[in-house]
Amino acid sequence: MTDRHQRDLPLPFPELNDDQPLLPARMINEYEYCPRLAYLEWVQGEWADSGDTVHGRQVHRRVDRGSGTLPEPDPEVDERIHSRSVTLSSNRLGLIAKLDIVESEGDEAMPVDYKRGKRPHVEKGAYLPEQVQLCVQGMLLEEHGYRVEAGILYFRGSRERVRIAFDDELRERTLDDINGLRALAAGGRIPAPLEDSPKCPRCSLVSICLPDEVNNLKRLRDGVRPLSVLSDEAMPLYVQAHRASVRKKGEVLEISVDDEVTTKARLRDISQVVLMGNVYLTTPTLHELMRREIPVSWHSYGGWFLGHSHGTGHKNVELRTAQYRKSFDDAACLHIARRLVANKIVNSRTLLRRNVKEPDDASKELLDELSRDARKAMRAQRLDELLGVEGTAAARYFGTFARMIRPPGEDSEMVFDFTQRNRRPPADPVNALLSYAYSVLVRAWLVTLTAVGFDAYRGFYHQPRYGRPALALDLMEPFRPLIAESAVLTAINKGQVRPTDFIRAASAVNLTSDGRKRFLGTIEQRLDQEITHPDFGYRASYRRILEIQARLAARHVMGEVPEFPGFVTR
């Protein structure tokens, strides 16, 4: 992190060209508040709304409706003019800002910046980041010929105006921040997270930054505050009705079948849209989903994942560059792959230990063998050796999988025979459920990795092939038993799927439409289930944990966290 007591050397900003973007004044504010926050937003293109940012946009709605024009400075004019929503830039300073209000008279001007909330009772009536942002606006007005001595911060909550003088001390601090952010961006290295800072709980990017988690994995702190556990009510929207259509109407998506509206869902309640089979999505709806960064995934009617649509994609090219570089490093790939396979074996063992009906000496010996397999995986010296260990452990595991299925009663038709894992096509109902659950989990990981900034098709363990999301297959390994296989056992043992929910065609077995709908509900319930994170101690849903693990994997890939973050339940 930059030493805030030592001035940064100024980096002269050349005249603007296509490769050198101007620094927004808001980013100077963020840099003063937290250099890591500024780096995440400006360099890596991260953004997340919070209650504060949404409220802030509402506060600015009135001033944002202004004309955006500013009169030329003229000492002869004695009329006081208020200009709203004015955008100013300077190639010489390398800065750009959108000013809420400019109060000008002749060749004198004063920027007015709207702030949500009440005036803080601190020295000078405002925090330093807000003062610095206002000073940047004053510097831009000076670049356009005005004389500027001070600015105004207007706090909407208390309806107070606070005058901020642009003295030498504030101007010097502002220039330090400008030069510091420019040097930080040019250096290409993310600052370390703050340690136990009171700033983190109110930060909108705390769930992306993961300050306590990163410091914990770097052995800089023991406890982890539950700052990254979001309360997100948004859920995936599945549409599988034959020839259904999805249209946007206001803030609602309407799903119609044969021109009759059958279902409605509010856009704010949707995390992603999953279309199964022949479903029509209107172009305006797709545009709105892309604007809101709500991904759309496309599947065949039988559930085969075909692809997904999203907006322009994540801007974090640094992460993808690091990912590609590491994916060509055999030692780095082996380090990640060993942890993934070992975690998968341990989690499979845990599922068996919890669910095997009437455990005996043979099942106890199996648990010991799986423990030995996990240790072998961590000692593997080559990827092909690791594949062999994984295959042996999988054969042991699925050889006992049937013992986790509840035996049917005498009069029950709930007969689910399982002898071995098979696929393409699945030959029995249990394998059909497993294949379908894996496809849903792959889609969940692909959407999560894309949102984080990874290339989901370039992995470290699974080899890249055309159309195969290798990285999604990598990171889902430890979660196969915890989510997919657990959902299969729940659906069978609780009677949520029945033998009549399957159809047979030649040697293949597939779910019916109704069976698929009920099984999807089981998987989604599993993803929403809260558990205690084994490393950090707070409770979070599996859906949220997938994102946390993906972001921590990104921290490892970029060199911030030394060990690849595994996930093993207790």
Side-chain angles (χ1 to χ4, degrees):
M1 184 184 299
T2 303
D3 185 352
R4 309 315 305 277
H5 300 290
Q6 179 178 342
R7 295 195 62 184
D8 290 289
L9 294 176
L11 297 180
F13 193 88
E15 286 297 308
L16 180 67
N17 61 46
D18 292 339
D19 295 326
Q20 296 163 326
L22 297 170
L23 289 176
R26 183 175 63 84
M27 287 298 121
I28 311 302
N29 178 321
E30 307 288 30
Y31 177 80
E32 175 62 45
Y33 184 81
C34 171
R36 183 179 175 90
L37 173 62
Y39 193 92
L40 286 169
E41 289 190 1
W42 179 238
V43 180
Q44 296 190 353
E46 297 283 7
W47 175 253
D49 263 326
S50 67
D52 291 345
T53 60
V54 172
H55 188 200
R57 282 200 298 271
Q58 293 173 344
V59 168
H60 283 80
R61 282 185 301 180
R62 180 168 175 262
V63 294
D64 285 345
R65 291 196 294 266
S67 63
T69 58
L70 183 68
E72 292 292 330
D74 186 350
E76 303 299 325
V77 176
D78 58 2
E79 178 185 2
R80 195 166 186 80
I81 300 174
H82 290 74
S83 304
R84 298 179 181 272
S85 191
V86 177
T87 299
L88 298 179
S89 63
S90 167
N91 286 353
R92 189 183 70 84
L93 295 176
L95 298 172
I96 187 170
K98 186 175 184 180
L99 286 65
D100 292 337
I101 295 177
V102 178
E103 297 178 355
S104 61
E105 184 174 349
D107 63 347
E108 296 183 1
M110 180 180 292
V112 180
D113 198 19
Y114 273 51
K115 298 297 178 183
R116 61 176 297 276
K118 299 180 180 180
R119 174 182 66 85
H121 295 285
V122 296
E123 186 181 0
K124 297 185 178 180
Y127 293 112
L128 188 55
E130 283 70 35
Q131 296 181 47
V132 166
Q133 182 176 358
L134 190 65
C135 188
V136 170
Q137 298 178 8
M139 293 168 60
L140 286 170
L141 284 169
E142 289 175 338
E143 281 290 297
H144 286 75
Y146 284 96
R147 291 187 294 113
V148 184
E149 296 181 356
I152 296 293
L153 291 172
Y154 177 70
F155 292 92
R156 182 70 178 271
S158 57
R159 298 182 180 276
E160 293 180 88
R161 288 166 60 100
V162 176
R163 185 179 186 275
I164 304 296
F166 297 153
D167 53 24
D168 291 342
E169 181 183 358
L170 180 58
R171 289 175 182 269
E172 184 177 299
R173 186 59 178 252
T174 302
L175 287 173
D176 281 352
D177 287 339
I178 293 170
N179 295 325
L181 178 54
R182 192 168 294 142
L184 186 66
R189 188 172 183 83
I190 187 170
L194 302 178
E195 294 185 32
D196 202 25
S197 172
K199 295 180 180 180
C200 297
R202 293 296 298 271
C203 177
S204 63
L205 293 194
V206 66
S207 62
I208 295 173
C209 173
L210 301 176
D212 287 11
E213 289 84 350
V214 170
N215 284 330
N216 177 272
L217 294 175
K218 293 168 70 175
R219 306 296 188 266
L220 297 179
R221 65 169 295 155
D222 295 327
V224 175
R225 296 170 292 178
L227 305 178
S228 305
V229 185
L230 301 178
S231 177
D232 189 359
E233 303 298 329
M235 295 283 290
L237 171 65
Y238 289 87
V239 183
Q240 63 173 353
H242 185 56
R243 293 185 178 178
S245 62
V246 183
R247 290 180 170 82
K248 172 184 170 294
K249 187 173 182 180
E251 293 295 304
V252 173
L253 291 189
E254 293 185 342
I255 296 90
S256 304
V257 178
D258 296 330
D259 296 327
E260 181 179 347
V261 177
T262 59
T263 307
K264 295 182 180 180
R266 295 182 300 182
L267 280 162
R268 69 180 185 182
D269 295 334
I270 299 172
S271 62
Q272 55 186 284
V273 177
V274 184
L275 306 180
M276 317 284 289
N278 187 14
V279 178
Y280 172 66
L281 182 71
T282 66
T283 300
T285 303
L286 182 59
H287 288 179
E288 181 66 15
L289 293 172
M290 288 181 171
R291 187 183 70 81
R292 294 176 181 249
E293 297 184 1
I294 299 175
V296 180
S297 61
W298 308 82
H299 299 250
S300 68
Y301 186 72
W304 189 260
F305 179 59
L306 302 175
H308 71 291
S309 304
H310 54 87
T312 55
H314 204 288
K315 301 175 184 177
N316 192 356
V317 69
E318 280 190 344
L319 173 57
R320 290 188 288 279
T321 300
Q323 176 190 356
Y324 300 144
R325 185 182 298 116
K326 193 171 286 287
S327 71
F328 288 103
D329 183 335
D330 292 341
C333 288
L334 182 61
H335 168 78
I336 294 173
R338 284 191 299 210
R339 179 63 61 89
L340 292 170
V341 172
N343 287 178
K344 173 188 175 181
I345 296 172
V346 171
N347 288 334
S348 299
R349 179 186 182 278
T350 299
L351 192 68
L352 284 171
R353 179 173 53 81
R354 292 176 178 176
N355 294 279
V356 165
K357 312 301 178 183
E358 301 179 359
D360 52 19
D361 291 341
S363 61
K364 294 177 182 177
E365 176 61 25
L366 172 64
L367 297 180
D368 292 339
E369 290 173 342
L370 289 174
S371 294
R372 288 193 290 270
D373 289 337
R375 291 193 293 270
K376 287 181 182 178
M378 289 300 294
R379 296 194 300 265
Q381 298 301 308
R382 301 182 312 278
L383 284 180
D384 57 351
E385 178 185 349
L386 185 62
L387 281 167
V389 174
E390 182 188 19
T392 300
R396 301 188 208 274
Y397 170 67
F398 282 114
T400 313
F401 192 84
R403 295 188 61 183
M404 293 188 286
I405 299 174
R406 186 181 63 190
E410 294 182 0
D411 300 328
S412 175
E413 296 181 357
M414 300 296 293
V415 178
F416 285 90
D417 295 326
F418 181 85
T419 56
Q420 63 179 0
R421 176 75 179 117
N422 56 65
R423 57 196 181 118
R424 298 181 182 176
D428 57 75
V430 177
N431 274 293
L433 290 172
L434 287 170
S435 294
Y436 192 76
Y438 293 150
S439 70
V440 173
L441 188 55
V442 168
R443 175 186 54 78
W445 266 111
L446 189 146
V447 170
T448 299
L449 291 169
T450 302
V452 167
F454 277 109
D455 181 346
Y457 292 88
R458 182 72 193 182
F460 306 107
Y461 180 43
H462 290 82
Q463 297 304 304
R465 296 176 186 168
Y466 176 75
R468 184 167 81 162
L471 187 60
L473 294 171
D474 282 355
L475 294 190
M476 73 178 279
E477 290 292 349
F479 293 90
R480 284 176 182 261
L482 302 178
I483 296 176
E485 290 146 25
S486 178
V488 170
L489 293 173
T490 298
I492 294 174
N493 292 339
K494 292 188 175 181
Q496 295 170 350
V497 293
R498 301 180 291 271
T500 54
D501 291 324
F502 299 87
I503 54 176
R504 296 180 181 274
S507 60
V509 175
N510 287 304
L511 279 161
T512 63
S513 176
D514 288 341
R516 186 185 307 114
K517 185 182 298 184
R518 275 185 271 107
F519 186 49
L520 276 173
T522 303
I523 299 174
E524 292 298 330
Q525 287 176 1
R526 184 61 176 168
L527 286 168
D528 285 332
Q529 182 176 341
E530 286 193 351
I531 66 165
T532 300
H533 196 290
D535 295 322
F536 306 135
Y538 51 61
R539 292 187 64 79
S541 69
Y542 271 117
R543 198 185 305 277
R544 174 62 188 146
I545 284 175
L546 296 188
E547 182 182 349
I548 290 173
Q549 295 302 117
R551 293 197 180 280
L552 291 175
R555 300 287 175 244
H556 169 73
V557 166
M558 297 187 69
E560 189 174 9
V561 173
E563 295 294 326
F564 184 82
F567 190 88
V568 175
T569 57
R570 298 190 177 101

